[in-house]
Amino acid sequence: MGLIWLIGKRLLYAVALITAVLVLNFSLLHLAPGDPADVIAGEMGGATAELLAEIRALYGLDKPFLVQLGLYLQRAYQGDLGMSFYYNLPVVDLILQRLPATMLLVFTALSFATVGGTVLGVLAARKPGGFTSSMVTLLSLVGYAAPIFWTGLMLIILFGVVIPIFPISGLYNVAKMATGLSRAVDIAHHLVLPSFTLGVVYLALYSRLTRASMLEVMQADYVRTARAKGARERTVYLRHALRNAILPVVTMAGLQFGSLISGAVLVETVFNWPGLGTLVFESVIARDYPTVLGVLFFSATLVIAANLVTDLVYRMIDPRIRLQD
Amino acid sequence: MSVLKVDHLCVDYRSRAGHIRLVDDISFDIQPNKTLAIVGESGCGKSMTALAMMRLLPDGATITKGVITLEGDSLTDLPEAQMRDIRGASMSMIFQEPMTSLNPVFSVGEQIAEVLRLHTDLDKQQIREKVQALIRSVGISDAGQRSSAYPHELSGGMRQRIMIAMALACSPKVLIADEPTTALDVTVQAQIFSLLRDLQARTSTAIVLITHDMGVVAEMADDIIVMYAGRLAERGSVETVLSRPAHPYTRGLIDCVPHLQLGSNISHKSVTEIPGVVPALETIGAGCPFASRCGLSEERCEAAMPELSEVRPSHQVACWNYQET
């Protein structure tokens, strides 16, 4: 009952938020220098003034700004994000084609970062100042300090050139024409470097967060209670402490979902991963405004959805949240 | 036949700065169905004595001398795995802060059930029934509903009752209660103590009650040991020690209890304080640690620590100048 109410309320906010995002993005892109008609004409190999006017009329670029915005919003609510100037395809189709690859990358990186970060953090908290702890701290410092594109390039050099064990480009091997399970294995193989690159910064962050959180929670009175019950140290650690210590990690992971998507743009470009990131990159270069707007719309939606999921997960883990709203 | 015997217990704390003796040569024993009070101000080593009995001393603190025996078996050299079987089963403990001693992310029923799972072979259904019986036995009505409540949904008094239910789940031989009512309202305090007395009458559990409140001692305990700066100051039956205290520190503690008298306005005389504070343990020299705060101190008090001497049968005091009253 309360849960349905919460989700309903959130969906209502989401619609308002997405409208705001659309208006803002549309306005910003409109303010940006450059005329899409020029670009389209350029693709066609040059054009006369008449042809330019024709192109503008075709795409509605000759109408006043507010009319264009109104039309765009109206269509967007009907699930039509317009036609791509560059790919000459409906933007929605274009995005849906690319979305799975990005989702695969983002969720693999996210799982890698949260699970790996938690495990490393827990190990590091076992003996603060010990060897494992120092190694994790060092690793997370390096991981956090290294920019994504640099990590990506270094990994390409290491695993693509020096020890060529991982593919460094694309989603799968076109030449293999693999199907079924071997295709899945092929994709997983291609996924290793990009998802590691994207996830490593967050892995570093979550391992530090988990470590700090575990160290704090291990001092809690209820941890002493668990020991006084006669629970094994492992039970105390993983059942009583971790469940409490993981809360800040969940919060962070939810909040950072957006930056994970923007990180994906870089990673996809570096690894030539055919997802939304490469799409938005190519579209910006080509001044393909409908596509850029479409991708921004989708990523905003994803971020909002991720926040809702975070809230639900949080309520599952922490009973104290359930009382509110 | 005593159920628990503590013999010349010493607990040391080792740090880089050096070596501090937290508990110095404490001995006592306790019979079934009896309550022993350990009394002293904060920092006197009461809680350390209790944690030493559970072998749950914080990092850095260790038992360096002495033996603790439970029903004739030594606990001090027991392997950790066997000690775990004793904690929560033959010997259990309740703590000062019921607000923080329960794990916030598990229901209270689940937390009680955990003890039963650790120490008994009961199946799921039996555990559920036993949990509800335990919740009822600590005076909480509506056990079925309460067992699925989370700690934050219960009052402080309720939480302490849950802690007591948890501690008594496996009918321990010894229950250690470390200032169980300090964090609670006075009326709730009285309820908790009457609950403990009732449960003791039913189970003949020996209770070690740690407190600084002589009023509580008079109400609850059969025997008392008074600790000061980690050492034994006085020991005897509650009747003797409270009516004829021999150690100036014990007298000071008794005078700290305010007496409520109707009609007479409460004058400053009715409550006296012990001047000064417990000395930092690393500053204690060869003499009596109470000397600096004691009205009767003389040269030999500063020079050497008095031995425990018999005032009368089963009443001992460590004071050069004790006065027979």
Side-chain angles (χ1 to χ4, degrees):
Chain A
M1 171 58 202
L3 197 65
I4 292 168
W5 179 236
L6 175 91
I7 295 176
K9 207 167 70 179
R10 284 310 187 79
L11 286 179
L12 214 66
Y13 287 155
V15 172
L17 203 58
I18 287 174
T19 308
V21 166
L22 282 175
V23 171
L24 192 72
N25 288 338
F26 194 88
S27 314
L28 277 177
L29 279 184
H30 206 84
L31 288 175
D35 182 353
D38 284 343
V39 180
I40 297 167
E43 292 286 316
M44 296 162 80
T48 56
E50 290 81 44
L51 189 58
L52 276 177
E54 208 177 304
I55 291 169
R56 290 203 182 94
L58 180 66
Y59 288 102
L61 295 168
D62 53 346
K63 298 197 176 68
F65 168 69
L66 282 177
V67 176
Q68 284 188 44
L69 175 64
L71 277 174
Y72 184 75
L73 286 180
Q74 194 190 344
R75 288 197 194 121
Y77 285 128
Q78 290 160 0
D80 174 12
L81 294 173
M83 285 289 281
S84 159
F85 302 152
Y86 182 67
Y87 297 92
N88 226 352
L89 276 171
V91 169
V92 174
D93 293 357
L94 206 54
I95 289 174
L96 288 180
Q97 216 175 46
R98 302 290 196 102
L99 191 63
T102 296
M103 290 292 94
L104 182 65
L105 175 64
V106 166
F107 280 108
T108 312
L110 188 67
S111 320
F112 164 64
T114 45
V115 175
T118 307
V119 169
L120 285 182
V122 165
L123 287 177
R126 286 231 59 151
K127 246 195 198 160
F131 180 73
T132 323
S133 179
S134 312
M135 284 319 287
V136 170
T137 310
L138 183 73
L139 202 81
S140 65
L141 210 65
V142 174
Y144 193 62
I148 284 185
F149 63 87
W150 183 84
T151 315
L153 292 175
M154 290 304 121
L155 286 174
I156 287 180
I157 292 174
L158 185 61
F159 291 111
V161 182
V162 183
I163 328 166
I165 49 170
F166 289 116
I168 55 167
S169 173
L171 177 63
Y172 52 86
N173 194 336
V174 190
K176 265 189 188 164
M177 304 278 277
T179 49
L181 188 66
S182 62
R183 184 179 159 90
V185 171
D186 189 32
I187 290 178
H189 197 204
H190 278 76
L191 189 59
V192 173
L193 290 186
S195 55
F196 181 85
T197 307
L198 180 57
V200 74
V201 175
Y202 302 95
L203 174 98
L205 196 64
Y206 300 155
S207 71
R208 295 192 65 128
L209 199 62
T210 309
R211 178 177 174 274
S213 186
M214 275 304 273
L215 286 177
E216 190 187 314
V217 166
M218 285 306 284
Q219 301 300 316
D221 288 348
Y222 54 78
V223 165
R224 186 182 53 189
T225 305
R227 290 197 177 117
K229 280 178 180 179
R232 286 167 170 279
E233 199 56 17
R234 184 208 296 243
T235 314
V236 172
Y237 217 73
L238 295 182
R239 188 176 137 82
H240 290 270
L242 184 57
R243 177 88 182 259
N244 285 282
I246 199 124
L247 293 171
V249 178
V250 173
T251 312
M252 276 303 250
L255 283 176
Q256 287 181 331
F257 191 77
S259 71
L260 202 65
I261 291 183
S262 43
V265 175
L266 281 172
V267 172
E268 289 183 5
T269 310
V270 171
F271 288 96
N272 206 12
W273 189 261
L276 287 182
T278 28
L279 181 65
V280 80
F281 183 69
E282 288 158 7
S283 314
V284 168
I285 301 287
R287 290 192 192 287
D288 187 357
Y289 292 165
T291 311
V292 176
L293 278 175
V295 174
L296 292 176
F297 165 78
F298 261 79
S299 40
T301 314
L302 283 175
V303 169
I304 290 167
N307 277 320
L308 182 60
V309 171
T310 310
D311 265 16
L312 296 180
V313 171
Y314 213 97
R315 291 162 73 90
M316 261 163 51
I317 306 179
D318 190 350
R320 283 167 296 187
I321 307 294
R322 286 173 215 166
L323 270 191
Q324 288 147 29
D325 36 58
Chain B
M1 173 56 193
S2 57
V3 51
L4 181 83
K5 211 167 151 56
V6 172
D7 229 2
H8 300 289
L9 177 73
C10 291
V11 175
D12 285 9
Y13 181 78
R14 255 175 268 257
S15 70
R16 265 179 229 154
H19 214 219
I20 304 166
R21 182 142 287 190
L22 301 175
V23 176
D24 193 357
D25 199 26
I26 298 290
S27 303
F28 58 86
D29 59 333
I30 177 164
Q31 321 291 323
N33 210 5
K34 297 281 183 196
T35 300
L36 169 80
I38 303 182
V39 182
E41 287 163 282
S42 307
C44 279
K46 300 167 293 176
S47 292
M48 281 302 149
T49 309
L51 291 172
M53 286 189 268
M54 292 292 280
R55 293 248 319 260
L56 284 176
L57 287 167
D59 286 341
T62 43
I63 299 173
T64 41
K65 247 187 252 170
V67 186
I68 300 165
T69 47
L70 182 70
E71 296 190 299
D73 300 324
S74 165
L75 299 183
T76 12
D77 47 10
L78 211 58
E80 175 60 23
Q82 274 167 274
M83 192 59 215
R84 272 202 302 268
D85 292 340
I86 286 177
R87 280 184 211 127
S90 321
M91 193 155 82
S92 55
M93 185 162 178
I94 56 178
F95 300 95
Q96 195 169 355
E97 280 289 342
M99 308 311 269
T100 51
S101 291
L102 289 165
N103 196 324
V105 300
F106 297 112
S107 71
V108 294
E110 166 57 28
Q111 297 189 52
I112 299 174
E114 191 183 12
V115 187
L116 295 167
R117 278 202 304 270
L118 283 166
H119 299 292
T120 65
D121 299 325
L122 301 178
D123 65 32
K124 263 191 176 168
Q125 182 58 33
Q126 287 168 314
I127 285 181
R128 197 174 311 137
E129 281 160 19
K130 175 94 198 213
V131 165
Q132 304 208 351
L134 281 164
I135 293 178
R136 274 193 297 274
S137 77
V138 292
I140 297 177
S141 55
D142 201 4
Q145 235 196 331
R146 290 297 186 195
S147 74
S148 57
Y150 287 90
H152 69 272
E153 296 168 319
L154 303 177
S155 67
M158 284 275 206
R159 292 187 213 186
Q160 197 59 293
R161 283 168 193 268
I162 295 291
M163 283 297 291
I164 293 171
M166 201 191 295
L168 295 178
C170 299
S171 319
K173 302 279 179 269
V174 180
L175 171 68
I176 303 170
D178 187 358
E179 309 215 22
T181 61
T182 311
L184 301 175
D185 282 349
V186 185
T187 47
V188 181
Q189 273 186 28
Q191 291 169 13
I192 295 289
F193 283 129
S194 88
L195 171 67
L196 282 176
R197 272 198 306 266
D198 286 353
L199 292 169
Q200 187 176 41
R202 256 184 281 160
T203 59
S204 49
T205 300
I207 297 179
V208 177
L209 178 67
I210 292 168
T211 179
H212 54 254
D213 184 343
M214 284 297 194
V216 168
V217 174
E219 199 183 332
M220 287 291 294
D222 301 292
D223 295 296
I224 177 174
I225 66 171
V226 179
M227 284 181 74
Y228 189 79
R231 301 175 201 198
L232 209 57
E234 186 164 6
R235 167 169 85 182
S237 75
V238 166
E239 278 161 40
T240 328
V241 173
L242 289 197
S243 59
R244 306 156 92 174
H247 200 289
Y249 181 58
T250 315
R251 245 174 284 139
L253 287 176
I254 294 170
D255 290 341
C256 286
V257 180
H259 297 279
L260 207 57
Q261 281 175 313
L262 280 178
S264 71
N265 44 350
I266 297 166
S267 68
H268 289 292
K269 258 187 207 163
S270 67
V271 180
T272 40
E273 54 171 333
I274 305 172
V277 290
V278 183
L281 291 171
E282 57 268 30
T283 62
I284 292 174
C288 171
F290 189 60
S292 59
R293 300 171 73 187
C294 183
L296 305 171
S297 84
E298 44 184 66
E299 224 167 277
R300 62 175 169 170
C301 298
E302 306 276 359
M305 175 70 196
E307 292 289 309
L308 211 56
S309 51
E310 197 113 314
V311 186
R312 51 180 67 82
S314 64
H315 181 192
Q316 286 132 15
V317 66
C319 179
W320 292 117
N321 291 329
Y322 76 83
Q323 292 161 339
E324 263 186 74
T325 40

